[in-house]
Amino acid sequence: MLRVVKAFWRDERGIALILVSIMLPAIVGFALLAIDMSRANNLHNDLQKGADSFAIAGAAELDGKTDAHSRAIRALGNLVDNTHNFSTSNAQTLLTSAGISWRFLKSIPASDATVLNPTTGVDANGIDHNSAGPDETKFILVNVSPTGFATIFPASFLSGDAADNAMNIGATAVAGFGSAVCDFTPVFICNPYEMVGGTNNAGGITLQEAAASRQYRRRLIELRKVGNGAAAGPGNFGFLEPPQGVGNGAQALAQTIATSQPVGCYGGNSVTTKTGQNAGPVQDAFNVRFGIKANGNHFNSPLYGPAANVRKGAIQTKGSANQCPAFNQITFNLAGTAGFPRDTSWPYMGGRMGSGAWSITNYWNTNFGVGTSYPTSWTTDPPSRYELYRYEIDHGMVGTTSPGGESGTPDPDCQPPVTTVDRRILYGAILNCQSLTALGHNLSGKSEDLPVEAFASFFLAEPVPSAADDASVFVELIDITTGGQGTLAKFLRDDVQLVR
């Protein structure tokens, strides 16, 4: 009998069944948890993909135009339908715009670790990132309404509360619209309409309002070079780091300004200013566009040819009557010739910008004769200088000779005119220089990854008058990329991406 008891005691057959029976609740519990985590993860992935898709669809419309918000909302309603599984609402539910909320933002926190409240648009530091209108909207935040999720694991038996068997799962995404430009000159211009401390430096209007109105586009702006007796304030200009491969010297930078085939590409949040701000023969770099021969052998190729219309009010001062050698001296607006006049109220607004009112009578009568007439609508609403310049080209008036012997036709014996691009247009990035300077950026030196308010085109109204003082360039604003008229579309490369 004792032998039988001892044998039974030592017999280990079937012990696995006992251990499994003991561990079975834990095994089943872990299995259910794994299944629940997988289901929850799949639901969250479905919701996140939907949030991402909605954010990208909305951000693609944020081009700064007045209807950008309405187009973005329409895109949210019409362009995206995502299905999601495992929620308690249904086995397979269609996620539409009815299940999301959104906010338009002008900025986002610098660090991804800073929490941004999707309901208010205010971050954990109390900074309000909501935009006031389409012109300043850079991002859209999409928040998917949390959906119910019922677990299989019966957590309620631990607490007695059935609510413990359910949870809510949501998702948020932030996407932004940015632009890059290519074939642009490496120039930046300090925004003359920059808002500082709630006030505006140019009569209380925004850059977007100025670009949209002929009244404001007519304003002549005097740009002075940063680092040459001028700080980085409204109406100053400087140079951007040229693209790789064109050289780093002053002459190389000047060539990128003078050429008719610039190769630089610049992103809306990544421009870098040029160290030293020295562009070498700046006067020549701008003036070759007017058919004025550069000193020495600089810019001596068809790439640096003049515009198709170089009328500027020059007089013959030496040599023959040909444009290039005869009008190489920069002497303007004397008897028998007339270039574009400055605004009648000049200087205005601190001496850097005109009032927008200018008289075309002397310019027109001198160059085209009293017997010719311009559109009657210009009497009450004068065109911008750029519009008149284009009118001469479009109506075959470039070759008309003034009593002083000047026409708008450049001398082909020097360099033939460039017809592939308009050489009287200067392209550049507009920076909010005062704000950037207050943040510690040195715009007279090298400062990296600067945000661009807009890329813009400017009309060169007159040549740069002095090599000794190469800091005065007189321009009119033509258009901008953010909320503009669309004339810069050929340079733009839209960039829509998720940022959060």
Side-chain angles (χ1 to χ4, degrees):
M1 183 66 182
L2 182 61
R3 184 181 300 121
V4 175
V5 172
K6 288 182 178 180
F8 178 78
W9 182 259
R10 293 176 182 148
D11 190 355
E12 295 182 354
R13 290 175 295 177
I15 192 170
L17 180 61
I18 299 173
L19 294 176
V20 168
S21 299
I22 296 173
M23 294 298 298
L24 187 58
I27 294 172
V28 172
F30 279 116
L32 293 178
L33 284 175
I35 294 173
D36 282 341
M37 291 299 295
S38 176
R39 293 170 60 239
N41 184 65
N42 287 336
L43 174 58
H44 181 265
N45 284 342
D46 289 344
L47 295 178
Q48 189 62 58
K49 289 177 182 178
D52 293 347
S53 299
F54 279 109
I56 291 174
E61 305 298 330
L62 302 181
D63 55 6
K65 296 181 180 178
T66 55
D67 63 342
H69 283 185
S70 60
R71 285 187 283 109
I73 294 172
R74 187 163 58 247
L76 295 176
N78 298 329
L79 295 184
V80 179
D81 285 327
N82 275 50
T83 57
H84 62 277
N85 299 294
F86 305 117
S87 70
T88 55
S89 58
N90 205 325
Q92 187 179 57
T93 304
L94 191 65
L95 177 62
T96 66
S97 60
I100 66 171
S101 59
W102 57 86
R103 304 195 73 82
F104 296 109
L105 308 177
K106 62 183 177 182
S107 60
I108 58 175
S111 172
D112 287 343
T114 304
V115 176
L116 180 61
N117 189 318
T119 304
T120 64
V122 178
D123 68 25
N125 297 321
I127 298 175
D128 188 351
H129 296 274
N130 291 285
S131 67
D135 58 331
E136 69 173 16
T137 300
K138 305 295 184 184
F139 306 95
I140 183 172
L141 183 154
V142 171
N143 182 44
V144 176
S145 302
T147 184
F149 173 79
T151 64
I152 300 174
F153 182 79
S156 59
F157 83 91
L158 298 174
S159 63
D161 188 350
D164 290 339
N165 289 347
M167 64 180 73
N168 290 323
I169 296 178
T172 62
V174 179
F177 180 95
S179 295
V181 295
C182 288
D183 306 326
F184 238 60
T185 45
V187 173
F188 76 84
I189 294 165
C190 293
N191 184 4
Y193 297 95
E194 180 179 2
M195 299 290 291
V196 179
T199 60
N200 192 287
N201 285 287
I205 65 170
T206 66
L207 177 64
Q208 287 73 24
E209 290 171 332
S213 170
R214 173 192 279 180
Q215 173 188 353
Y216 299 123
R217 292 198 306 272
R218 290 196 301 253
R219 288 178 169 177
L220 192 65
I221 305 171
E222 181 185 4
L223 307 177
R224 296 176 186 166
K225 188 163 75 69
V226 172
N228 188 25
N236 294 323
F237 79 95
F239 306 104
L240 300 176
E241 192 75 19
Q244 293 182 352
V246 301
N248 293 317
Q251 181 62 33
L253 179 57
Q255 287 174 345
T256 65
I257 298 170
T259 184
S260 59
Q261 296 181 4
V263 295
C265 288
Y266 300 96
N269 291 302
S270 60
V271 297
T272 299
T273 53
K274 171 68 177 174
T275 303
Q277 297 294 312
N278 182 7
V282 174
Q283 182 192 33
D284 288 342
F286 285 115
N287 287 354
V288 291
R289 298 164 179 259
F290 289 87
I292 299 173
K293 185 175 175 61
N295 294 319
N297 293 318
H298 296 156
F299 318 129
N300 191 23
S301 81
L303 285 177
Y304 307 106
N309 183 358
V310 297
R311 194 184 302 276
K312 52 193 173 291
I315 64 169
Q316 180 177 340
T317 56
K318 68 176 184 179
S320 66
N322 292 331
Q323 177 77 15
C324 181
F327 297 100
N328 195 33
Q329 302 301 306
I330 307 178
T331 306
F332 305 110
N333 298 329
L334 298 181
T337 68
F340 287 117
R342 297 181 184 174
D343 291 11
T344 52
S345 296
W346 183 274
Y348 181 72
M349 293 184 179
R352 307 302 300 279
M353 183 183 294
S355 63
W358 68 285
S359 174
I360 70 172
T361 303
N362 181 66
Y363 175 88
W364 185 273
N365 291 343
T366 300
N367 292 310
F368 308 115
V370 177
T372 60
S373 60
Y374 48 78
T376 55
S377 61
W378 289 359
T379 303
T380 56
D381 185 18
S384 66
R385 295 165 184 81
Y386 174 67
E387 289 173 310
L388 180 49
Y389 159 83
R390 289 301 315 175
Y391 184 90
E392 294 177 31
I393 295 174
D394 297 338
H395 290 78
M397 304 174 70
V398 174
T400 302
T401 302
S402 69
E406 183 196 26
S407 75
T409 306
D411 179 12
D413 293 334
C414 296
Q415 292 294 348
V418 175
T419 57
T420 55
V421 295
D422 195 330
R423 296 281 281 151
R424 291 282 290 273
I425 296 180
L426 174 69
Y427 300 97
I430 295 182
L431 306 184
N432 286 329
C433 294
Q434 294 185 97
S435 299
L436 292 172
T437 300
L439 291 173
H441 295 287
N442 177 20
L443 302 187
S444 297
K446 184 172 184 177
S447 195
E448 299 180 344
D449 299 329
L450 300 178
V452 176
E453 178 68 14
F455 293 97
S457 55
F458 297 87
F459 175 62
L460 292 169
E462 59 185 72
V464 178
S466 170
D469 180 16
D470 60 358
S472 290
V473 181
F474 291 87
V475 300
E476 277 184 343
L477 177 65
I478 300 175
D479 199 5
I480 61 175
T481 53
T482 305
Q485 306 165 71
T487 62
L488 299 178
K490 63 180 180 180
F491 298 100
L492 280 173
R493 309 290 188 271
D494 290 341
D495 180 22
V496 180
Q497 58 182 327
L498 288 169
V499 294
R500 276 187 166 228

